[in-house]
PDB file of all heavy atoms in Angstrom:
ATOM      1  N   SER A  33      19.880  -7.006  27.781  1.00 98.00           N
ATOM      2  CA  SER A  33      20.992  -6.186  27.291  1.00 98.00           C
ATOM      3  C   SER A  33      20.463  -4.941  26.563  1.00 98.00           C
ATOM      4  O   SER A  33      21.022  -3.846  26.696  1.00 98.00           O
ATOM      5  CB  SER A  33      21.857  -7.011  26.342  1.00 98.00           C
ATOM      6  OG  SER A  33      21.044  -7.630  25.366  1.00 98.00           O
ATOM      7  N   GLU A  56       7.596  29.283  25.665  1.00 98.00           N
ATOM      8  CA  GLU A  56       8.805  28.897  24.928  1.00 98.00           C
ATOM      9  C   GLU A  56       8.582  28.945  23.409  1.00 98.00           C
ATOM     10  O   GLU A  56       9.394  29.485  22.666  1.00 98.00           O
ATOM     11  CB  GLU A  56       9.204  27.479  25.357  1.00 98.00           C
ATOM     12  CG  GLU A  56      10.465  26.982  24.685  1.00 98.00           C
ATOM     13  CD  GLU A  56      10.843  25.571  25.135  1.00 98.00           C
ATOM     14  OE1 GLU A  56      10.414  25.143  26.225  1.00 98.00           O
ATOM     15  OE2 GLU A  56      11.580  24.903  24.381  1.00 98.00           O
ATOM     16  N   LYS A  63      11.544  34.445  16.829  1.00 98.00           N
ATOM     17  CA  LYS A  63      12.868  34.506  16.201  1.00 98.00           C
ATOM     18  C   LYS A  63      12.760  34.453  14.678  1.00 98.00           C
ATOM     19  O   LYS A  63      13.733  34.688  13.975  1.00 98.00           O
ATOM     20  CB  LYS A  63      13.730  33.327  16.679  1.00 98.00           C
ATOM     21  CG  LYS A  63      14.105  33.410  18.146  1.00 98.00           C
ATOM     22  CD  LYS A  63      15.039  32.259  18.469  1.00 98.00           C
ATOM     23  CE  LYS A  63      15.192  32.122  19.972  1.00 98.00           C
ATOM     24  NZ  LYS A  63      15.905  30.882  20.319  1.00 98.00           N
ATOM     25  N   TYR A  92     -12.094  21.172  11.898  1.00 98.00           N
ATOM     26  CA  TYR A  92     -13.141  20.317  12.468  1.00 98.00           C
ATOM     27  C   TYR A  92     -12.496  18.993  12.893  1.00 98.00           C
ATOM     28  O   TYR A  92     -11.860  18.318  12.081  1.00 98.00           O
ATOM     29  CB  TYR A  92     -14.231  20.025  11.435  1.00 98.00           C
ATOM     30  CG  TYR A  92     -15.121  21.186  11.066  1.00 98.00           C
ATOM     31  CD1 TYR A  92     -15.728  21.246   9.810  1.00 98.00           C
ATOM     32  CD2 TYR A  92     -15.374  22.233  11.965  1.00 98.00           C
ATOM     33  CE1 TYR A  92     -16.549  22.309   9.456  1.00 98.00           C
ATOM     34  CE2 TYR A  92     -16.192  23.290  11.609  1.00 98.00           C
ATOM     35  CZ  TYR A  92     -16.779  23.330  10.359  1.00 98.00           C
ATOM     36  OH  TYR A  92     -17.591  24.369  10.011  1.00 98.00           O
ATOM     37  N   THR A  94     -13.524  16.051  13.436  1.00 98.00           N
ATOM     38  CA  THR A  94     -13.856  14.804  12.733  1.00 98.00           C
ATOM     39  C   THR A  94     -13.094  14.709  11.418  1.00 98.00           C
ATOM     40  O   THR A  94     -12.911  13.619  10.879  1.00 98.00           O
ATOM     41  CB  THR A  94     -15.360  14.707  12.450  1.00 98.00           C
ATOM     42  OG1 THR A  94     -15.782  15.943  11.879  1.00 98.00           O
ATOM     43  CG2 THR A  94     -16.125  14.450  13.735  1.00 98.00           C
ATOM     44  N   ASP A 123     -11.231  19.864 -13.373  1.00 98.00           N
ATOM     45  CA  ASP A 123     -11.741  21.059 -14.030  1.00 98.00           C
ATOM     46  C   ASP A 123     -10.658  22.126 -14.182  1.00 98.00           C
ATOM     47  O   ASP A 123     -10.552  22.799 -15.198  1.00 98.00           O
ATOM     48  CB  ASP A 123     -12.914  21.640 -13.230  1.00 98.00           C
ATOM     49  CG  ASP A 123     -14.147  20.757 -13.346  1.00 98.00           C
ATOM     50  OD1 ASP A 123     -14.170  19.887 -14.236  1.00 98.00           O
ATOM     51  OD2 ASP A 123     -15.079  20.935 -12.540  1.00 98.00           O
ATOM     52  N   GLU A 136       3.958  16.549  -2.476  1.00 98.00           N
ATOM     53  CA  GLU A 136       4.225  17.905  -2.949  1.00 98.00           C
ATOM     54  C   GLU A 136       4.657  17.770  -4.406  1.00 98.00           C
ATOM     55  O   GLU A 136       4.693  16.649  -4.936  1.00 98.00           O
ATOM     56  CB  GLU A 136       5.267  18.633  -2.090  1.00 98.00           C
ATOM     57  CG  GLU A 136       6.469  17.855  -1.691  1.00 98.00           C
ATOM     58  CD  GLU A 136       7.461  17.630  -2.829  1.00 98.00           C
ATOM     59  OE1 GLU A 136       8.016  18.609  -3.371  1.00 98.00           O
ATOM     60  OE2 GLU A 136       7.673  16.452  -3.180  1.00 98.00           O
ATOM     61  N   THR A 300     -19.922   5.167  -5.655  1.00 98.00           N
ATOM     62  CA  THR A 300     -20.584   3.861  -5.696  1.00 98.00           C
ATOM     63  C   THR A 300     -21.962   3.984  -5.040  1.00 98.00           C
ATOM     64  O   THR A 300     -22.470   5.106  -4.856  1.00 98.00           O
ATOM     65  CB  THR A 300     -19.728   2.768  -5.025  1.00 98.00           C
ATOM     66  OG1 THR A 300     -20.324   1.502  -5.284  1.00 98.00           O
ATOM     67  CG2 THR A 300     -19.601   2.977  -3.528  1.00 98.00           C
ATOM     68  N   LYS A 306     -28.195   4.123  -2.253  1.00 97.00           N
ATOM     69  CA  LYS A 306     -27.807   5.522  -2.063  1.00 97.00           C
ATOM     70  C   LYS A 306     -26.380   5.775  -2.540  1.00 97.00           C
ATOM     71  O   LYS A 306     -25.508   4.922  -2.384  1.00 97.00           O
ATOM     72  CB  LYS A 306     -27.895   5.881  -0.569  1.00 97.00           C
ATOM     73  CG  LYS A 306     -29.179   6.620  -0.214  1.00 97.00           C
ATOM     74  CD  LYS A 306     -29.038   7.263   1.152  1.00 97.00           C
ATOM     75  CE  LYS A 306     -29.867   6.510   2.170  1.00 97.00           C
ATOM     76  NZ  LYS A 306     -29.592   6.897   3.544  1.00 97.00           N
ATOM     77  N   LYS A 350     -15.136  32.562 -10.851  1.00 97.00           N
ATOM     78  CA  LYS A 350     -14.895  34.011 -10.847  1.00 97.00           C
ATOM     79  C   LYS A 350     -13.737  34.379  -9.920  1.00 97.00           C
ATOM     80  O   LYS A 350     -12.902  35.224 -10.270  1.00 97.00           O
ATOM     81  CB  LYS A 350     -16.148  34.750 -10.387  1.00 97.00           C
ATOM     82  CG  LYS A 350     -17.287  34.658 -11.366  1.00 97.00           C
ATOM     83  CD  LYS A 350     -18.541  35.325 -10.793  1.00 97.00           C
ATOM     84  CE  LYS A 350     -19.755  34.946 -11.626  1.00 97.00           C
ATOM     85  NZ  LYS A 350     -21.008  35.277 -10.928  1.00 97.00           N
ATOM     86  N   ASP A 361      -1.506  41.386 -12.488  1.00 95.00           N
ATOM     87  CA  ASP A 361      -1.524  42.847 -12.381  1.00 95.00           C
ATOM     88  C   ASP A 361      -0.364  43.359 -11.531  1.00 95.00           C
ATOM     89  O   ASP A 361       0.368  44.269 -11.916  1.00 95.00           O
ATOM     90  CB  ASP A 361      -2.855  43.267 -11.763  1.00 95.00           C
ATOM     91  CG  ASP A 361      -2.928  44.757 -11.509  1.00 95.00           C
ATOM     92  OD1 ASP A 361      -3.044  45.501 -12.497  1.00 95.00           O
ATOM     93  OD2 ASP A 361      -2.843  45.168 -10.329  1.00 95.00           O
TER      94      ASP A 361
ATOM     95  N   MET B   1     -29.922   8.430   6.297  1.00 84.00           N
ATOM     96  CA  MET B   1     -29.689   9.869   6.119  1.00 84.00           C
ATOM     97  C   MET B   1     -29.719  10.246   4.648  1.00 84.00           C
ATOM     98  O   MET B   1     -29.385   9.436   3.784  1.00 84.00           O
ATOM     99  CB  MET B   1     -28.326  10.255   6.685  1.00 84.00           C
ATOM    100  CG  MET B   1     -28.383  10.669   8.132  1.00 84.00           C
ATOM    101  SD  MET B   1     -26.794  11.343   8.640  1.00 84.00           S
ATOM    102  CE  MET B   1     -26.636  10.572  10.217  1.00 84.00           C
ATOM    103  N   TYR B   8     -21.026  20.712  -6.957  1.00 98.00           N
ATOM    104  CA  TYR B   8     -21.426  21.006  -8.331  1.00 98.00           C
ATOM    105  C   TYR B   8     -22.944  21.082  -8.463  1.00 98.00           C
ATOM    106  O   TYR B   8     -23.474  21.798  -9.288  1.00 98.00           O
ATOM    107  CB  TYR B   8     -20.902  19.917  -9.269  1.00 98.00           C
ATOM    108  CG  TYR B   8     -19.400  19.981  -9.459  1.00 98.00           C
ATOM    109  CD1 TYR B   8     -18.546  19.306  -8.597  1.00 98.00           C
ATOM    110  CD2 TYR B   8     -18.850  20.725 -10.493  1.00 98.00           C
ATOM    111  CE1 TYR B   8     -17.180  19.367  -8.767  1.00 98.00           C
ATOM    112  CE2 TYR B   8     -17.473  20.795 -10.676  1.00 98.00           C
ATOM    113  CZ  TYR B   8     -16.651  20.115  -9.805  1.00 98.00           C
ATOM    114  OH  TYR B   8     -15.293  20.181  -9.972  1.00 98.00           O
ATOM    115  N   ARG B  15     -23.852  33.382  -8.985  1.00 96.00           N
ATOM    116  CA  ARG B  15     -23.408  33.844  -7.663  1.00 96.00           C
ATOM    117  C   ARG B  15     -22.069  34.551  -7.765  1.00 96.00           C
ATOM    118  O   ARG B  15     -21.270  34.290  -8.643  1.00 96.00           O
ATOM    119  CB  ARG B  15     -23.276  32.660  -6.701  1.00 96.00           C
ATOM    120  CG  ARG B  15     -24.592  32.076  -6.332  1.00 96.00           C
ATOM    121  CD  ARG B  15     -24.621  31.504  -4.944  1.00 96.00           C
ATOM    122  NE  ARG B  15     -25.676  30.519  -4.854  1.00 96.00           N
ATOM    123  CZ  ARG B  15     -26.977  30.807  -4.885  1.00 96.00           C
ATOM    124  NH1 ARG B  15     -27.383  32.078  -4.982  1.00 96.00           N
ATOM    125  NH2 ARG B  15     -27.879  29.851  -4.823  1.00 96.00           N
ATOM    126  N   PHE B  26      -3.683  46.158 -14.925  1.00 78.00           N
ATOM    127  CA  PHE B  26      -2.760  45.544 -15.880  1.00 78.00           C
ATOM    128  C   PHE B  26      -3.235  44.223 -16.425  1.00 78.00           C
ATOM    129  O   PHE B  26      -2.442  43.393 -16.781  1.00 78.00           O
ATOM    130  CB  PHE B  26      -1.386  45.359 -15.243  1.00 78.00           C
ATOM    131  CG  PHE B  26      -0.601  46.608 -15.238  1.00 78.00           C
ATOM    132  CD1 PHE B  26      -0.777  47.552 -14.244  1.00 78.00           C
ATOM    133  CD2 PHE B  26       0.298  46.867 -16.259  1.00 78.00           C
ATOM    134  CE1 PHE B  26      -0.060  48.711 -14.251  1.00 78.00           C
ATOM    135  CE2 PHE B  26       1.024  48.042 -16.270  1.00 78.00           C
ATOM    136  CZ  PHE B  26       0.842  48.970 -15.257  1.00 78.00           C
ATOM    137  N   THR B  56     -19.372  21.599   6.540  1.00 98.00           N
ATOM    138  CA  THR B  56     -19.720  21.294   7.935  1.00 98.00           C
ATOM    139  C   THR B  56     -20.588  20.038   7.987  1.00 98.00           C
ATOM    140  O   THR B  56     -20.373  19.152   8.811  1.00 98.00           O
ATOM    141  CB  THR B  56     -20.445  22.489   8.577  1.00 98.00           C
ATOM    142  OG1 THR B  56     -19.622  23.646   8.439  1.00 98.00           O
ATOM    143  CG2 THR B  56     -20.706  22.237  10.057  1.00 98.00           C
ATOM    144  N   SER B  59     -18.471  17.100   7.497  1.00 98.00           N
ATOM    145  CA  SER B  59     -17.650  16.757   8.673  1.00 98.00           C
ATOM    146  C   SER B  59     -18.456  15.954   9.687  1.00 98.00           C
ATOM    147  O   SER B  59     -17.900  15.194  10.478  1.00 98.00           O
ATOM    148  CB  SER B  59     -17.081  18.016   9.322  1.00 98.00           C
ATOM    149  OG  SER B  59     -18.045  18.627  10.157  1.00 98.00           O
ATOM    150  N   ILE B  96       6.123  31.878   7.396  1.00 98.00           N
ATOM    151  CA  ILE B  96       7.529  31.853   6.984  1.00 98.00           C
ATOM    152  C   ILE B  96       7.707  31.067   5.681  1.00 98.00           C
ATOM    153  O   ILE B  96       7.429  29.867   5.603  1.00 98.00           O
ATOM    154  CB  ILE B  96       8.420  31.255   8.098  1.00 98.00           C
ATOM    155  CG1 ILE B  96       8.257  32.083   9.371  1.00 98.00           C
ATOM    156  CG2 ILE B  96       9.887  31.239   7.671  1.00 98.00           C
ATOM    157  CD1 ILE B  96       8.587  33.555   9.237  1.00 98.00           C
ATOM    158  N   GLN B 110      15.606  26.266  14.417  1.00 98.00           N
ATOM    159  CA  GLN B 110      15.786  25.760  15.782  1.00 98.00           C
ATOM    160  C   GLN B 110      14.848  24.582  16.068  1.00 98.00           C
ATOM    161  O   GLN B 110      15.221  23.602  16.716  1.00 98.00           O
ATOM    162  CB  GLN B 110      15.548  26.886  16.791  1.00 98.00           C
ATOM    163  CG  GLN B 110      15.782  26.455  18.233  1.00 98.00           C
ATOM    164  CD  GLN B 110      15.488  27.561  19.244  1.00 98.00           C
ATOM    165  OE1 GLN B 110      15.447  28.747  18.899  1.00 98.00           O
ATOM    166  NE2 GLN B 110      15.278  27.179  20.493  1.00 98.00           N
ATOM    167  N   GLU B 224      19.183  -9.280  18.404  1.00 98.00           N
ATOM    168  CA  GLU B 224      20.652  -9.165  18.438  1.00 98.00           C
ATOM    169  C   GLU B 224      21.320 -10.205  17.533  1.00 98.00           C
ATOM    170  O   GLU B 224      22.264  -9.891  16.811  1.00 98.00           O
ATOM    171  CB  GLU B 224      21.152  -9.290  19.880  1.00 98.00           C
ATOM    172  CG  GLU B 224      20.803  -8.051  20.700  1.00 98.00           C
ATOM    173  CD  GLU B 224      21.020  -8.243  22.195  1.00 98.00           C
ATOM    174  OE1 GLU B 224      20.477  -9.218  22.743  1.00 98.00           O
ATOM    175  OE2 GLU B 224      21.732  -7.433  22.790  1.00 98.00           O
ATOM    176  N   SER B 320      10.844  18.846  -2.358  1.00 98.00           N
ATOM    177  CA  SER B 320      11.244  20.245  -2.324  1.00 98.00           C
ATOM    178  C   SER B 320      11.232  20.729  -0.871  1.00 98.00           C
ATOM    179  O   SER B 320      10.545  20.173  -0.018  1.00 98.00           O
ATOM    180  CB  SER B 320      10.290  21.084  -3.175  1.00 98.00           C
ATOM    181  OG  SER B 320       8.954  20.866  -2.789  1.00 98.00           O
ATOM    182  N   LYS B 336       8.200  17.684  24.167  1.00 98.00           N
ATOM    183  CA  LYS B 336       8.481  18.607  25.277  1.00 98.00           C
ATOM    184  C   LYS B 336       7.420  18.461  26.379  1.00 98.00           C
ATOM    185  O   LYS B 336       7.733  18.541  27.564  1.00 98.00           O
ATOM    186  CB  LYS B 336       8.498  20.047  24.771  1.00 98.00           C
ATOM    187  CG  LYS B 336       9.781  20.451  24.045  1.00 98.00           C
ATOM    188  CD  LYS B 336       9.637  21.864  23.481  1.00 98.00           C
ATOM    189  CE  LYS B 336      10.849  22.294  22.688  1.00 98.00           C
ATOM    190  NZ  LYS B 336      11.973  22.766  23.536  1.00 98.00           N
ATOM    191  N   ASP B 465     -20.720  -0.677  -1.811  1.00 97.00           N
ATOM    192  CA  ASP B 465     -20.332  -1.699  -2.766  1.00 97.00           C
ATOM    193  C   ASP B 465     -19.022  -1.287  -3.448  1.00 97.00           C
ATOM    194  O   ASP B 465     -19.005  -0.477  -4.370  1.00 97.00           O
ATOM    195  CB  ASP B 465     -21.458  -1.848  -3.799  1.00 97.00           C
ATOM    196  CG  ASP B 465     -21.237  -3.037  -4.718  1.00 97.00           C
ATOM    197  OD1 ASP B 465     -20.088  -3.534  -4.772  1.00 97.00           O
ATOM    198  OD2 ASP B 465     -22.200  -3.458  -5.371  1.00 97.00           O
TER     199      ASP B 465
END
Side-chain angles (χ1 to χ4, degrees):
Chain A
S33 50
E56 181 180 338
K63 292 184 192 170
Y92 289 152
T94 48
D123 289 346
E136 44 74 62
T300 189
K306 261 195 253 169
K350 292 176 193 166
D361 175 72
Chain B
M1 269 189 223
Y8 289 89
R15 290 212 203 290
F26 280 83
T56 305
S59 81
I96 302 302
Q110 183 182 341
E224 288 168 307
S320 53
K336 282 175 183 280
D465 189 343

